[in-house]
Amino acid sequence: MSLTPQITFRNMKSQPRLEEVVWKETARLERFFNRMTSCRVMIDGPKRQQRNLYHVRIDIGVPKEKLVV
């Protein structure tokens, strides 16, 4: 994989298993479009009132554009 994703965890500890999943999915995205210039993934842990609800933000840089999911 040529693209190294930047993974950030908020309100939770870093989890190697979750990082591994992000790496695999990023590699999968590269099969569809190999000109990505950057990839940042932010995983926000659940709040006290919410159980098992994570918020994930993905910022992907492509030539002349930026995609946010």
Side-chain angles (χ1 to χ4, degrees):
M1 177 173 65
S2 61
L3 182 66
T4 304
Q6 177 186 357
I7 305 168
T8 305
F9 292 94
R10 289 180 48 194
N11 300 321
M12 61 186 290
K13 294 181 181 178
S14 176
Q15 296 183 7
R17 175 82 172 113
L18 206 48
E19 287 184 31
E20 183 180 322
V21 170
V22 170
W23 276 84
K24 286 181 182 178
E25 293 300 321
T26 303
R28 192 168 159 218
L29 280 175
E30 282 188 312
R31 289 189 319 190
F32 297 104
F33 187 74
N34 63 354
R35 294 178 46 207
M36 289 188 293
T37 57
S38 66
C39 180
R40 291 182 292 199
V41 178
M42 193 271 303
I43 303 169
D44 195 1
K47 306 288 188 258
R48 289 184 181 171
Q49 299 85 5
Q50 301 170 336
R51 289 191 167 187
N52 299 325
L53 293 176
Y54 293 86
H55 295 276
V56 179
R57 178 185 170 122
I58 305 169
D59 297 309
I60 299 174
V62 295
K64 299 182 183 180
E65 295 292 331
K66 182 177 180 181
L67 306 171
V68 179
V69 179

